[in-house]
Amino acid sequence: MFTTLFTHAACLDHDTGLGHPECADRLRAVLAALETEEFYMLERQEAPLATLEQLSRAHPREHIERILALVPEQEHAGIDADTVISPGSGEAALRAAGAVVAAVDAVASGHSRNAFCAVRPPGHHAEHEKAMGFCLFNNAAVGAYHARAAHGLQRVAVMDFDVHHGNGTQDIFQRDPDLLYCSTHQSPLYPGTGDAGEKGDYGNCVNAPLAAMSGSPEFRHAMTHIILPAIDHFKPDLLIISAGFDAHSRDPLAGLHLTDDDFAWATRKLGDLARTHCGARVVSVLEGGYNLRALASATAAHVRELMYC
Ligand SMILES: [Zn+2]
């Protein structure tokens, strides 16, 4: 079975304006890194458009329509100070969520062992009824609900190692005991959520905040003693990774000091758990990562592990 890469050229057409860190060059850097010879075994598929029905499992239908109606015919529009959209943003957002839906289909059907979605805009800050933090729709949550609705994969765990807390995924997951949200993130930092005391209504949110300047030892300790045991105990039917690479030491938006090896190690550990509990089914989706060289090398380290784990 393959590792499948889902992406779409429309994700490059989400234009956030000059100087915005969440830029199309991020995706170009990721795709270039995955073009090298060692990745020739990656199966490549175009991301379909997510349907309104698929999105409305994670967001109210009126909210989805409101966001899509904000997409301007020219220039830019602002959802908030950070979250800027352009004429291409609507299709990009639908392809980003659609990639995760298709990736879930691919691993649930047994076509793919696991999948990586190289897409933008990212999704983990998008709450049930609020787009924010560069995110329009919550791609990971749309995938989790699709796994349940289309494939009967009832218990879905999301592990989010983006340097920012995924307030959106936590917001959507916290009232459902069959969904688990786990996060390592720098704290304090945007968006200000993710305290260790935020546990969800059923103990189904597991937050492991890390102080600025934390590096490999602190990250691996939190993974080993908090995150991995929580996923092991939860016994998911599917594991989704919110793969942000902005905890990398070279990232300009935050102050953690992870290396490519840390992302590879975390991927390997998560892959081990997926093999134990869910037939190795892993769907990974790109979130943040703002130093282009670090983003490229860390993504390559992550996907390399997916291919060989
Ligand atoms: Zn981030």
Side-chain angles (χ1 to χ4, degrees):
M1 282 196 290
F2 309 98
T3 294
T4 305
L5 170 66
F6 288 90
T7 188
H8 198 281
C11 292
L12 297 169
D13 295 335
H14 167 53
D15 177 8
T16 49
L18 200 63
H20 196 290
E22 204 294 282
C23 59
D25 280 348
R26 297 180 59 242
L27 181 54
R28 290 190 186 96
V30 163
L31 294 175
L34 299 178
E35 279 297 326
T36 58
E37 195 178 345
E38 67 171 313
F39 294 104
Y40 80 97
M41 285 289 286
L42 263 183
E43 188 203 28
R44 288 150 208 275
Q45 287 198 24
E46 286 214 323
L49 296 164
T51 65
L52 194 56
E53 183 190 356
Q54 290 160 353
L55 293 172
S56 65
R57 298 182 187 124
H59 304 285
R61 195 169 277 251
E62 315 75 61
H63 169 71
I64 299 162
E65 288 169 345
R66 196 161 57 238
I67 295 294
L68 294 174
L70 288 173
V71 173
E73 287 186 14
Q74 52 187 0
E75 304 290 328
H76 297 98
I79 289 179
D80 62 30
D82 301 323
T83 312
V84 180
I85 55 177
S86 70
S89 299
E91 181 176 351
L94 296 177
R95 297 280 180 195
V100 185
V101 167
V104 167
D105 287 339
V107 302
S109 69
H111 174 84
S112 309
R113 187 172 68 243
N114 53 40
F116 180 67
C117 301
V119 291
R120 57 186 288 279
H124 74 150
H125 294 306
E127 297 185 346
H128 183 61
E129 225 168 327
K130 187 177 183 187
M132 59 180 275
F134 313 164
C135 301
L136 300 185
F137 303 125
N138 196 305
N139 306 321
V142 170
Y145 284 113
H146 180 72
R148 180 181 289 178
H151 302 287
L153 299 173
Q154 184 67 14
R155 295 171 70 74
V156 183
V158 168
M159 167 52 201
D160 182 339
F161 53 63
D162 189 280
V163 81
H164 302 97
H165 180 243
N167 60 294
T169 315
Q170 176 169 295
D171 175 62
I172 295 167
F173 276 28
Q174 61 189 344
R175 285 174 209 89
D176 189 326
D178 286 341
L179 298 174
L180 177 72
Y181 176 69
C182 298
S183 176
T184 55
H185 48 273
Q186 183 178 327
S187 179
L189 189 68
Y190 182 89
T193 50
D195 188 87
E198 295 172 23
K199 295 177 184 296
D201 289 1
Y202 299 92
N204 59 317
C205 296
V206 179
N207 287 301
L210 300 169
M213 308 301 285
S214 295
S216 178
E218 294 85 357
F219 172 70
R220 294 189 190 208
H221 187 273
M223 287 291 292
T224 302
H225 295 283
I226 301 171
I227 303 293
L228 297 171
I231 297 171
D232 192 34
H233 183 256
F234 179 77
K235 299 181 173 55
D237 299 317
L238 170 70
L239 179 61
I240 296 178
I241 302 176
S242 267
F245 298 98
D246 42 9
H248 197 284
S249 59
R250 291 207 298 271
D251 197 274
L253 294 199
L256 294 191
H257 290 284
L258 301 194
T259 65
D260 294 352
D261 277 349
D262 292 316
F263 293 111
W265 174 85
T267 307
R268 200 153 58 239
K269 292 292 179 187
L270 292 166
D272 289 346
L273 278 180
R275 248 194 325 277
T276 300
H277 293 297
C278 51
R281 287 187 288 270
V282 176
V283 169
S284 177
V285 55
L286 182 65
E287 301 284 359
Y290 303 99
N291 175 292
L292 298 183
R293 286 177 60 189
L295 172 63
S297 63
T299 303
H302 173 62
V303 175
R304 192 180 295 128
E305 289 298 330
L306 288 178
M307 289 173 70
Y308 297 109
C309 73

